[in-house]
Amino acid sequence: GNDRFVAEYLLEEVIAHLDPDVRRFLLRTSMLEWLSAEVCDAVTGTGDGRAMLRKLDDQSLFLIPLDRSGEHFRYHHLFADLLVYELRVEDPVAAAELHRRAARWFLDQARPEEAISHLLAAGDHTEAFRVISEVGHVLYERGEAATLVSWLSTIRAKQPEVLAAVEVSLLAAQLAVDQPGDVAETQPRLLRRTDLTLGERTAANGLYIM
């Protein structure tokens, strides 16, 4: 209840009365988990990230510093949620493109896991799976197969005609995190497919036996 009243106040008394350039910057960077001048420039394409972050910090506009150097920040979670909502309402196409820009920047910075999150948010499931396939072994080695389950489940839910390779990878991840109930659904569904290659069918049977 309190959050709802705060949200209404922020929308009506703060966000609605911001300078247009500040409001535009806030909306276009709202989907970032953390902010720096460089990632903001990559997403907005304006090149004024450093100046805008300094301005927001000076105005105490719900910007939380993440380091002592003043290089990295994040928005207060409630404020960020409202900004994301406003962006999706105003321009859902722009929201997807901003996620794609963020994903490209994170890939360039060798931060694939953050890139995957943005690719999924943008609906670029094919590209997201490509990156997942490249870094999946790293997550297995770190004992983070649950993250793979989450990503791959998202892709499968959003793509009715999902690639067989996605379901093979999902089965492997579910086995790794010991989800017998989900495995019991994924494996038969996978084997009912008529488009499996011999290698994929062998992998599906072999994984289940393991």
Side-chain angles (χ1 to χ4, degrees):
N2 288 335
D3 281 354
R4 180 173 63 84
F5 290 124
V6 172
E8 290 175 354
Y9 169 78
L10 290 174
L11 285 171
E12 296 172 5
E13 302 297 332
V14 179
I15 296 176
H17 297 286
L18 290 170
D19 291 338
D21 58 335
V22 173
R23 185 175 185 277
R24 187 179 306 108
F25 179 86
L26 287 170
L27 291 179
R28 289 179 172 270
T29 58
S30 59
M31 22 65 69
L32 294 168
E33 291 294 321
W34 56 269
L35 310 163
S36 70
E38 294 76 15
V39 69
C40 289
D41 288 346
V43 169
T44 66
T46 58
D48 61 353
R50 190 170 302 280
M52 289 300 297
L53 288 174
R54 187 178 299 115
K55 184 174 184 178
L56 294 176
D57 192 31
D58 291 342
Q59 295 180 1
S60 299
L61 264 176
F62 303 94
L63 197 65
I64 299 172
L66 298 178
D67 55 34
R68 294 183 178 180
S69 64
E71 296 292 325
H72 299 89
F73 303 86
R74 70 170 176 85
Y75 295 125
H76 184 283
H77 291 307
L78 177 58
F79 189 59
D81 288 346
L82 286 170
L83 293 171
V84 168
Y85 171 78
E86 285 287 283
L87 177 63
R88 288 175 178 168
V89 168
E90 290 186 12
D91 196 343
V93 175
E97 175 57 26
L98 293 168
H99 278 294
R100 293 187 189 98
R101 293 179 186 179
R104 287 194 293 268
W105 187 84
F106 281 116
L107 286 173
D108 289 343
Q109 302 301 311
R111 303 175 73 112
E113 294 166 47
E114 288 164 288
I116 290 166
S117 296
H118 284 288
L119 289 168
L120 292 175
D124 287 353
H125 302 116
T126 300
E127 178 65 6
F129 181 62
R130 183 191 69 78
V131 181
I132 291 170
S133 299
E134 292 180 353
V135 302
H137 67 284
V138 176
L139 274 74
Y140 277 116
E141 292 168 1
R142 295 202 311 240
E144 298 176 14
T147 300
L148 291 172
V149 171
S150 175
W151 287 339
L152 294 166
S153 296
T154 297
I155 293 174
R156 189 190 177 282
K158 298 294 185 180
Q159 283 190 319
E161 303 299 325
V162 70
L163 290 172
V166 173
E167 296 220 80
V168 172
S169 299
L170 177 59
L171 177 62
Q174 289 170 338
L175 285 163
V177 296
D178 192 20
Q179 296 181 340
D182 293 330
V183 168
E185 292 182 5
T186 302
Q187 200 258 358
R189 183 180 65 240
L190 179 57
L191 292 179
R192 285 196 298 270
R193 296 182 64 131
T194 59
D195 60 340
L196 293 180
T197 65
L198 178 60
E200 289 168 341
R201 189 169 295 278
T202 301
N205 279 312
L207 284 168
Y208 191 63
I209 292 171
M210 292 170 62

